[in-house]
Amino acid sequence: MPETAYSTEFRRELDPQQLLELMRADLFASAGTMEDISEQERQEIKSDVICSSCGVGGAQIVRTSFGRSSGRAVRKPHFRFEGPGGEDAHRRYCEFGREAPEREAGWRVSFASARTEEARFVRSLVCKGIERKLFDQSSIRAMRQWFYDQKAKSRITIPASPERIVTMQKLDRHYPHGGRWSFSPVHAEMPNFNWREAAMRQFTEDNREFLSWYHERARRARFSSSYERAKSIVESRPAEEAFDRSVLREQYEKSITLSSFVAANSEFPHKNNPAHYRSKGAPTPLLALSALVLFISDWSMDEAIGCYSKMFAAPDAKDNTLGNVMGLNPFHDFDAWEIIKIASELAERSPSIQNYDEALAAVEKRIREEHRRWRSEATRQPL
């Protein structure tokens, strides 16, 4: 159940207590407690508040739950979205639905965070951007709806085991664009002939078309940390349906490029060289802000850079609480999920290479047999 939701009246994402305080401010009344929500307030909340992810309406406030024996709070106040029969009203694939497997914390980024120098720098930019009316929480809400729509229409099935990802790592050893080389039995007459190396070369030759596709497809996601993360995801969610993040490739590339440009051309306190953001990852708060700025700029790099320029040129914001907003990083674990996407395509592209070690062993067995037959025929021929 979401701890915050979006108020169309106040145009921001709020938790239950914040919502009640704003609703009651005009009445010059104290905020009161969750216990004394009137029926009128309940109806107003139901018609006003929508899920910040899928946009469904009909919100209800659920009060804090306390343990029977300890008397301590065991669940924070939150919002519930139910249909008339008590059924889950969230749209399919919403991260807050009761059956949702994709409730990943990495998608939500708190611009209010001040844990690192990088996060504090981004927070100051967010405050300036909101104060200058370059964007606001309704912009973030619109972006979340766009993200949900992409998630709902683009799906893949996660492989049943990480074996295909292990195969992908081993396929990196085979580069199809080098010199052509095919096994001939006479090669094995050399005194120190390496059968394993010969099998690997022949594997490349046998699968040149497939390997050309694979290397072009995987070249942008080939990082050791991404492979390990991809394996972890597959092990925790085997054979599940999931969001196909590859549909966001263009937006991801632009967001990484913009983040790198901004960090390299400003006083952003980067720990890593901005030129390495593509391989080592951009700071999450900066990546989330870049994605938002690109979104409101209709993904135009020039317009987005212009928006950043306005934020940098603006004086410090008068109200630093403007940065207390929840942003969105639609590219959480992007490279790992792209590896999973490629792994899910391996079976269709090359059914014979589902297990690399078995496929390579079969090639070695075949060329050894070719050599054996060649030797056998050679010994039968008259001198």
Side-chain angles (χ1 to χ4, degrees):
M1 299 296 179
E3 293 181 4
T4 61
Y6 185 79
S7 166
T8 57
E9 171 70 21
F10 299 107
R11 294 171 60 86
R12 68 187 76 172
E13 192 167 346
L14 301 163
D15 64 31
Q17 188 63 44
Q18 291 169 334
L19 176 63
L20 289 174
E21 289 174 358
L22 288 172
M23 290 176 65
R24 293 167 175 172
D26 291 340
L27 301 177
F28 301 100
S30 61
T33 67
M34 299 285 176
E35 307 298 326
D36 59 2
I37 301 175
S38 69
E39 183 59 30
Q40 180 180 344
E41 286 176 323
R42 293 182 188 279
Q43 292 304 315
E44 289 175 359
I45 291 168
K46 192 172 184 179
S47 62
D48 168 50
V49 177
I50 62 176
C51 172
S52 56
S53 176
C54 70
V56 71
Q60 304 172 42
I61 287 181
V62 180
R63 296 189 295 265
T64 304
S65 297
F66 297 92
R68 292 183 179 179
S69 57
S70 67
R72 297 178 180 176
V74 295
R75 187 171 62 179
K76 294 180 180 179
H78 58 274
F79 293 98
R80 176 186 295 157
F81 295 85
E82 290 184 336
E87 69 277 10
D88 184 8
H90 288 282
R91 295 188 174 98
R92 191 180 184 190
Y93 308 128
C94 177
E95 63 190 279
F96 297 116
R98 292 174 188 168
E99 305 299 325
E102 298 187 62
R103 198 167 295 156
E104 299 179 24
W107 283 342
R108 293 166 65 82
V109 178
S110 175
F111 288 133
S113 172
R115 294 180 180 178
T116 67
E117 192 176 0
E118 294 168 334
R120 289 191 290 273
F121 192 92
V122 170
R123 174 189 168 89
S124 71
L125 291 178
V126 171
C127 292
K128 290 181 180 183
I130 294 176
E131 195 165 85
R132 288 289 304 273
K133 301 188 184 306
L134 298 175
F135 51 81
D136 57 21
Q137 288 207 38
S138 65
S139 307
I140 298 173
R141 166 68 198 116
M143 186 179 179
R144 289 178 68 88
Q145 186 64 50
W146 164 80
F147 180 61
Y148 170 78
D149 292 341
Q150 297 297 316
K151 184 167 60 172
K153 67 184 181 183
S154 303
R155 313 297 293 177
I156 59 170
T157 299
I158 298 174
S161 79
E163 183 59 44
R164 290 186 196 172
I165 295 173
V166 174
T167 292
M168 285 178 61
Q169 288 181 282
K170 294 178 178 179
L171 288 176
D172 288 347
R173 306 168 184 172
H174 299 270
Y175 190 67
H177 303 304
R180 304 292 295 262
W181 190 93
S182 292
F183 173 77
S184 175
V186 71
H187 298 167
E189 294 300 294
M190 295 296 292
N192 294 318
F193 184 70
N194 187 325
W195 284 101
R196 179 75 173 182
E197 180 66 23
M200 291 184 69
R201 288 178 175 271
Q202 190 60 45
F203 180 97
T204 303
E205 187 65 25
D206 292 348
N207 299 283
R208 188 171 293 274
E209 182 177 349
F210 163 72
L211 289 169
S212 295
W213 166 84
Y214 169 73
H215 278 272
E216 175 61 26
R217 188 77 176 77
R219 64 186 173 86
R220 293 171 299 192
R222 193 181 293 121
F223 305 113
S224 58
S225 60
S226 301
Y227 277 126
E228 294 308 310
R229 178 59 182 150
K231 290 178 193 175
S232 175
I233 293 171
V234 171
E235 288 170 349
S236 64
R237 298 174 56 183
E240 282 187 12
E241 188 184 74
F243 173 35
D244 178 7
R245 276 84 163 167
S246 67
V247 299
L248 302 181
R249 163 56 62 185
E250 181 181 353
Q251 291 86 354
Y252 176 61
E253 293 287 359
K254 286 185 175 182
S255 298
I256 286 286
T257 300
L258 180 60
S259 296
S260 179
F261 177 86
V262 168
N265 292 276
S266 72
E267 297 178 351
F268 183 75
H270 42 79
K271 295 180 180 178
N272 296 324
N273 186 335
H276 299 158
Y277 282 178
R278 180 63 193 83
S279 59
K280 296 184 178 180
T284 299
L286 179 61
L287 184 62
L289 179 56
S290 291
L292 173 62
V293 171
L294 279 163
F295 177 78
I296 64 173
S297 303
D298 198 24
W299 301 101
S300 165
M301 288 291 292
D302 289 344
E303 289 189 24
I305 291 172
C307 184
Y308 261 115
S309 298
K310 292 176 182 177
M311 286 188 281
F312 280 113
D316 291 341
K318 296 178 181 178
D319 183 359
N320 288 325
T321 65
L322 293 175
N324 296 338
V325 296
M326 189 67 69
L328 171 69
N329 173 22
F331 313 117
H332 177 56
D333 282 339
F334 186 89
D335 287 328
W337 278 102
E338 187 154 50
I339 287 172
I340 292 172
K341 166 70 171 179
I342 298 168
S344 71
E345 297 173 356
L346 287 182
E348 180 180 348
R349 285 282 178 170
S350 184
S352 63
I353 310 178
Q354 298 307 298
N355 183 299
Y356 172 83
D357 291 336
E358 291 178 2
L360 186 64
V363 172
E364 182 173 341
K365 180 179 180 181
R366 189 187 82 215
I367 63 176
R368 283 181 179 274
E369 178 60 20
E370 287 179 17
H371 178 255
R372 186 195 66 76
R373 289 200 307 267
W374 178 81
R375 287 289 300 270
S376 179
E377 292 174 3
T379 57
R380 290 199 300 267
Q381 292 180 1
L383 298 176

